Amino acid sequence: RKVPDHVILSGGRNNRYWVLDVEERPGHKTLTLTCSKSLHPTETCLLKDGWEMTPVRRGDVVHLEGHSEGASWVVDREQGFLVLLPDSLISGTSISSSIRCMRRAVLGDIFDGGSKQMLNGTMVHEVFQRAATAKDFSLGTLSKLADQALHSPKYLGDIPSHSRAPSRGQDSAAVVMVTELADIEENVWSPRFGLKGKIDVTARIRIQRPRNGSHRTPEEKTVPLELKTGKESNSIEHRSQVILYTLMSLERYNPEAGLLLYLKTGNLHPVVASHMDRRELLKLRNTLVHHIHNCVEKEAERSRLSRLPDILTNRQTCQYCPQTRNCALYERALNGSSADVSEDVVHDFLQQETGHLRPPHLSYFSHWMLLCFLEASTMEAKNGRKRVWLQTAEESEKNGSCVGNVQLSGPVMVQSEGVFLHRFQRNIAVPQKGLTTSGLASGDRVVVSDQEGLLVGLATGYLCEVSRTSISCTLDRDLSKFSGVLFRLDSDEGVVGLSTHLTNLSRLMENCQDSVCSCSDRLRELVVDLRPPEFIFNLSSVLPREAKDTVANILKGLNKPQKQAMKKVLLSLDYTLIVGMPGTGKTTTICTLVRILHACGFSVLLTSYTHSAVDNILLKLKRFRVGFLRLGQGQKVHPDILPYTEESMRKKGVHTLSELEQLYNKELVVATTCMGIKHPIFTRRRFDFCIVDEASQISQPICMGPLFYAKKFVLVGDHQQLPPIVQNQEARSLGMDESLFKRLELHSEAVVQLNVQYRMNRQIMSLSNSLMYEGQLECGSERTATALLSLPFLISVQSELSSYSETEPQHDLAWIQATLLPSNPVCFLDCSMAGCKPSDIGVIAPYRQQLKSISALLQSSAFTGVEVNTVDRYQGRDKSLIILSFVRSTLGELLKDWRRLNVAITRAKHKLLMVGSVTTLRRYAPVEKLLNHLQRENMISFQCMFTFGALPSIPL
DNA sequence: CCTCTGCTGAGAGGA
């Protein structure tokens, strides 16, 4: 009965109640609730006249609208609303689509859907809205705007050949609207009703109401206006959308009605929002949010997929549904092969949509759906976005996720299409702390709202610069009309769901016969059925004769396993797995591979999970004059790679569609992150090879994303290093942290191991060899094997230490002298330097909290350049000297992972110092194995008996 | 118990 920590309860306008009990009676339902975390006092809420059907359960959070007498609420036909799980904002379109089919609305929330016919509408919208912004509806301007819209990269690949600028008839209706335009594409988050949406046009209207002949002064109102470019249906869906907009903008303008404008005919329909309409739509919302939040149900401690709302048997409605495949897929995934469906229509439908799938496919799909849902539920619980509306700016500032009381300073600059540079500064009236001390830093994603909490989620964007007095950021909307308004900026992290995962999974199950892409069948065979990968035997059949010399030249710089890897990739018909053990030159190998493939004239899609890993390879590639196109947000791309991004290329002048196509097709090599595959380039382009770096750290559904676009693929990784991060314990135990790399590794014929390393000297390498690689890791050269730390001022420091020991004999500093010696490349200090560059030193600790204290001790300027970071963040990198801190007195999860320990001990090139308590650490199996090795090799040389206060300050 | 990177995104329309 305890309220979980992440739940925020409150009274007042955005009240949030915790449901303690639900009592069901025929015809009504009574909730016992509280808005206090202490569970006291309690209130009641009577639900009737249909509200009793709300799927509210014990432990849910609800919002109540209406009046309460004493401590009892009534929600019935005439008054009050109950909003279930109000902090999950549901979009207006989701709700209106649920009118016809609730199942479709739920699926639409889970999977990215969408049909191609919508494209035209999107473009007409854009043209209209641009024209409205410019207040210019002349035909010339319209066709210019239409032209721009057509050539925007958003639409490439889906442009029907007959699309044109809107016809003349559409302008005349449009002119009327523009003069009364208050906003376009206004973004609204309504935490009161659990709604969100983008309002096409916010129109200021004048209502003249003649009554009984007497003249009244015209009434001014601000109302939402919804544009429709298609057939004038005036349908219940369209009208519902408008009604929902009136509800979500209640706080802003309190509109009682909205407008529906059909551009095709120019007809304007007023839509009055009655209490009844709002009531019924909110009930739909509640049902929808219930299904979205309960994708998983628990039975006897085991989770499984929940049933969705029923499949419609009225096939008419399903004809144009974009979710048909997912609808059938989900049903089959739930019921397995036993399609015990009573209705023949449904049976036929399931057969038609999923007949190509066999039981293993369905169980792979349902297994991963479950894993993703579990993970999504954990992420949702941790999601702090609700703080934007449930906490005051002052409260949020305390935990460092917010800056409040700021206002616009200076003009808003248009950086590019849809990117507006804003500058804010603190309201001077109230003396406050500087901005730099707030938890916000440049690069963070932010949400802008007003300080009062009435205009929530006005804009989103990225922080550019945080100085003591001002903050600048790029936002998706121009807020210049809000000059003088007090704002708050909240960091906006972790709002990403798992829709890319789920969409990829759905795609994997696609039947290629009815799809443009022919990769799903093959990928399914390889990934799900684990069909052995095939290879050819003769290199000469793949190597073009004219490339032979170039390739031979490139190969010269490689060692034996690296050459083998190149050969294997060229001979592969399906895929190759390259195991890159620590320090074996993975980046170099990938770079060389790309050069070879490039020289052979093959196209390559180069990806990784992180932007930095992608750019690491590109930085190397750049030196070899291999051209490439880098896709992705400029903000996230390495500065030296920026000239290769689409944005920079386009600035050089892309005016026509064919120029854009040229740009997209020009380079053989295209690089992006695994998540970047939503880019329009992928609607047309296919590649000979796809290379995925860091593949052992990517979850299966994400890793397969880029593979849809290539004939063959290469995964590079090392499953002995860190696996994909999975937050949900149950999902992890069910195998969500198994990467595709690891799954495919059972086909040893596809695996090449890079075991020759150039990072660690012999002794440091021996740790990893004994812990993980069973001696397979080798030094690439004698130089690598014997490289030691160079300490040019060692002698003077040693003598200083000696004299210190003499004057303060109570401190025995022999241990520190011995620790310093380069000839002890691995030391474990059972619970330090001389001329080593700070940038050559890395401090690693498993826990963030530890890092904080360590960094605090290294505040002096002598230590700037010493990088203090977690094991996880150090993966893929190295330093000459690594100090690894194990300090911890209680047991934690992190050190139980062999792979994390392996990463930790393989970061040092020349010297590795480990600090920790042997007795405590012995309780971790992996560390114990390491300690045994250290003991055998006599590397736990020193016992230090000191308290930190007794440490002399040592020049670094 | 505490490791963290990806992402615009709500809506574009047909019956």
Side-chain angles (χ1 to χ4, degrees), chain A residues 294-512:
Chain A
N294 296 285
C295 294
V296 171
E297 55 193 15
K298 253 201 163 119
E299 202 188 65
E301 289 304 300
R302 286 188 56 185
S303 298
R304 60 165 195 203
L305 295 178
S306 303
R307 189 146 269 297
L308 290 188
D310 288 337
I311 299 177
L312 293 188
T313 45
N314 166 21
R315 308 306 305 151
Q316 186 81 35
T317 314
C318 304
Q319 210 172 340
Y320 294 94
C321 176
Q323 294 291 346
T324 44
R325 184 174 81 243
N326 295 325
C327 179
L329 204 47
Y330 195 93
E331 190 64 17
R332 291 291 310 277
L334 214 61
N335 291 335
S337 45
S338 67
D340 57 336
V341 193
S342 49
E343 253 106 359
D344 283 349
V345 252
V346 176
H347 181 269
D348 292 348
F349 161 66
L350 292 182
Q351 193 52 38
Q352 180 200 323
E353 292 291 328
T354 62
H356 61 290
L357 299 173
R358 288 182 293 104
H361 304 139
L362 292 167
S363 58
Y364 183 90
F365 178 78
S366 66
H367 179 63
W368 277 95
M369 288 291 289
L370 177 68
L371 297 181
C372 291
F373 285 161
L374 285 170
E375 181 69 358
S377 68
T378 300
M379 285 168 70
E380 172 69 30
K382 287 188 181 172
N383 174 5
R385 184 178 262 185
K386 56 178 175 277
R387 281 204 295 261
V388 174
W389 54 83
L390 291 184
Q391 280 187 343
T392 62
E394 289 76 27
E395 287 169 328
S396 292
E397 272 189 44
K398 271 182 204 141
N399 61 42
S401 64
C402 175
V403 166
N405 250 325
V406 294
Q407 55 197 139
L408 275 172
S409 77
V412 173
M413 319 273 263
V414 184
Q415 270 200 340
S416 57
E417 204 186 297
V419 183
F420 305 93
L421 182 63
H422 292 70
R423 182 172 292 280
F424 297 94
Q425 62 180 50
R426 284 274 204 188
N427 175 23
I428 331 144
V430 204
Q432 288 154 103
K433 286 193 296 181
L435 291 170
T436 30
T437 52
S438 75
L440 300 184
S442 67
D444 287 359
R445 264 188 80 88
V446 286
V447 188
V448 183
S449 312
D450 77 319
Q451 183 87 7
E452 303 295 312
L454 296 177
L455 309 167
V456 185
L458 279 176
T460 58
Y462 292 92
L463 277 188
C464 301
E465 224 186 306
V466 185
S467 77
R468 213 173 48 76
T469 52
S470 81
I471 279 192
S472 68
C473 52
T474 52
L475 300 175
D476 59 347
R477 312 214 64 232
D478 180 351
L479 300 182
S480 52
K481 68 169 179 174
F482 294 102
S483 63
V485 173
L486 280 182
F487 293 108
R488 59 184 281 182
L489 313 185
D490 287 87
S491 83
D492 187 30
E493 283 146 20
V495 283
V496 276
L498 289 121
S499 81
T500 315
H501 299 239
L502 298 165
T503 306
N504 287 349
L505 284 171
S506 152
R507 185 138 187 228
L508 186 69
M509 298 297 143
E510 209 170 343
N511 190 356
C512 291

Side-chain angles (χ1 to χ4, degrees), chain A residues 546-709:
Chain A
E546 64 276 13
K548 264 187 183 135
D549 288 345
T550 325
V551 171
N553 245 332
I554 298 172
L555 282 172
K556 268 184 200 159
L558 298 183
N559 63 35
K560 217 171 130 199
Q562 285 171 332
K563 278 182 193 156
Q564 250 168 1
M566 301 299 123
K567 205 172 145 193
K568 187 139 234 151
V569 173
L570 287 170
L571 293 175
S572 72
L573 291 175
D574 301 304
Y575 61 84
T576 310
L577 306 174
I578 301 179
V579 178
M581 296 181 187
T584 52
K586 264 189 303 168
T587 314
T588 312
T589 309
I590 294 172
C591 174
T592 315
L593 179 58
V594 177
R595 285 168 63 204
I596 290 174
L597 295 174
H598 183 265
C600 296
F602 291 121
S603 57
V604 181
L605 174 59
L606 181 62
T607 67
S608 179
Y609 191 54
T610 60
H611 288 283
S612 65
V614 172
D615 289 341
N616 266 341
I617 303 165
L618 296 180
L619 286 168
K620 271 221 161 86
L621 211 52
K622 199 178 122 180
R623 288 189 230 141
F624 294 101
R625 287 180 295 156
V626 173
F628 53 84
L629 176 67
R630 168 71 156 98
L631 306 175
Q633 274 247 320
Q635 292 250 9
K636 305 272 181 176
V637 176
H638 191 282
D640 294 350
I641 299 301
L642 272 177
Y644 301 86
T645 56
E646 185 193 352
E647 212 184 319
S648 320
M649 300 285 209
R650 284 167 71 94
K651 275 184 188 149
K652 289 183 198 157
V654 170
H655 305 292
T656 66
L657 189 58
S658 71
E659 278 173 0
L660 187 64
E661 245 196 303
Q662 255 175 35
L663 168 64
Y664 285 169
N665 289 324
K666 196 177 130 213
E667 300 295 351
L668 280 175
V669 182
V670 173
T672 184
T673 62
C674 290
M675 304 285 241
I677 51 161
K678 278 181 94 178
H679 191 277
I681 199 172
F682 298 109
T683 55
R684 289 195 184 175
R685 222 180 139 175
R686 294 295 174 270
F687 298 84
D688 295 313
F689 287 89
C690 174
I691 303 174
V692 186
D693 189 16
E694 295 183 329
S696 47
Q697 289 187 84
I698 310 175
S699 71
Q700 289 180 36
I702 291 301
C703 191
M704 66 180 68
L707 308 186
F708 287 112
Y709 306 105

Side-chain angles (χ1 to χ4, degrees), chain A residues 89-101:
Chain A
L89 307 185
I90 307 292
S91 72
T93 41
S94 290
I95 296 169
S96 58
S97 85
S98 77
I99 296 173
R100 278 186 188 247
C101 177

